[in-house]
Each structure stands twice: as C-alpha cells, then as structure tokens.
Amino acid sequence: QVLSEEVRIAVGDWPPYLSEKLKHDGIIGHLLTDIFTEEGYEVTLTFFPWARAYEVAKVNKLNMTGVWMHKPEREQDFHYSDPVLNEQFVFFHLKSTNFNWNTLDDLQGLAIGGGNEYSYGAAFDEALKLGKISIERVPNKYQNWRKLLLGRILIYPEEINVGYSSLRQHFHTDKASLITHHPKPLLNNLSYLLFP
C-alpha cells in the first residue's frame, strides 16, 4: 500500500500515552499512527506544550491535535473524533494516610494538589468555583509528588496510568512505593482528536 497523504498531529507530552521519549511516541501515539497508516496516510506527531498544540491546530498549521477531553467551548474551534481513550482519574495518597471519600463534599478542608490550568472534570471544577474545596496548583507532576511525599498535600488527583508512570519516572521504588490510589474514580473521561 502506497502512503499518499500526510497527516500532521499536534500533541503534548503525557506519558505513558504520548511522549517523544517512549517507543512509538507512547500508547496513543502508536494507536494514532496505526489508525491513519491503515487508511493510507503518513503520520507525523509533533510535540508542543499543550496550549501551543491546541493553537497550532486551531489555526490549521497542523491537521489536528490530540488528545483532549470534551469541553463545549472547544466546539467553537474544533470538530471531535470518536473517542480514542477512556481515562480514569483517581486520588493518589500516601499508603500511611487513612483517606476515604464518597462525594466531593468529603474533600472539604483537605490539602489537594493539582496541575496549573488543569481540569479534573465539571463537578470538581464547579466545587472549586463555589469554594467547597480548594486546590494547590503547581506547574508539574514532580512538584505534586514531592508535596505528597512530604505531607504538604493529602491527595493528588491524576489519571491512573499517567500517575503511576510519572511517579516511576521521578522517584526510586522506595519512595514511589509509599504512594497508592483510592479505588473510587474521581472521573471517567473520554478523550478525542480535535479537527479544526
């Protein structure tokens, strides 16, 4: 089969799903390449900071961007693909911490870590907006893991596979093994390719 057209996809770094450092550019990188190659396209993944990946695709400098959760405001700039990933966000905590929760109300008063400009779902975002819960945001995952290990935050919401991947990347087994996650998902979320 002769590859006729090129598909250029703007992506961000999100191991184990997307990363230049991983074989086949990560699990989703491999999946996207396989899907488009099967349809006769040559695929190029170009890595950017996430906000830049969104912008270069929005102005048609690349063909699409991925992967993103659904937000109504993004529909002004993009069409959504079928879902390409089902993510599960959980709360990570120290094994030594007796943490349990059933509703977001149970999180009131807890020191919660998170990423800058990161959404943990509509319900969580609404609870933040209403002041029911608060979050200490930092620019990167390493800082959140460090704060968790030092007891400066009690819980850290993160996608389960991304969480364990980044924990192993940043810390030796003796430190990483001190952290676990609560089995109740904060969010089950679908992610999509976005086409301008």
Side-chain angles (χ1 to χ4, degrees), residues 29-62:
H30 194 185
L31 175 70
L32 295 176
T33 300
D34 283 354
I35 289 169
F36 284 104
T37 300
E38 199 171 284
E39 293 302 316
Y41 294 93
E42 185 177 330
V43 180
T44 302
L45 298 182
T46 305
F47 284 83
F48 296 97
W50 281 102
R52 182 92 176 113
Y54 188 94
E55 288 303 315
V56 297
K58 178 179 164 181
V59 297
N60 269 321
K61 286 189 178 173
L62 286 113

Side-chain angles (χ1 to χ4, degrees), residues 84-150:
V84 294
L85 176 64
N86 187 1
E87 306 163 26
Q88 184 177 83
F89 282 77
V90 294
F91 286 111
F92 285 88
H93 62 89
L94 290 174
K95 289 179 179 174
S96 60
T97 301
N98 183 18
F99 170 69
N100 196 17
W101 77 289
N102 286 306
T103 70
L104 292 176
D105 289 339
D106 298 332
L107 307 179
Q108 289 184 34
L110 299 184
I112 306 170
N116 285 348
E117 299 179 28
Y118 209 87
S119 171
Y120 298 100
F124 191 91
D125 292 347
E126 184 66 16
L128 282 173
K129 195 165 97 176
L130 295 172
K132 290 183 176 182
I133 57 175
S134 62
I135 189 169
E136 298 175 25
R137 295 186 183 272
V138 292
N140 61 56
K141 290 174 182 29
Y142 170 77
Q143 289 173 295
N144 274 307
W145 294 126
R146 191 165 185 279
K147 287 173 74 173
L148 190 62
L149 285 164
L150 292 171

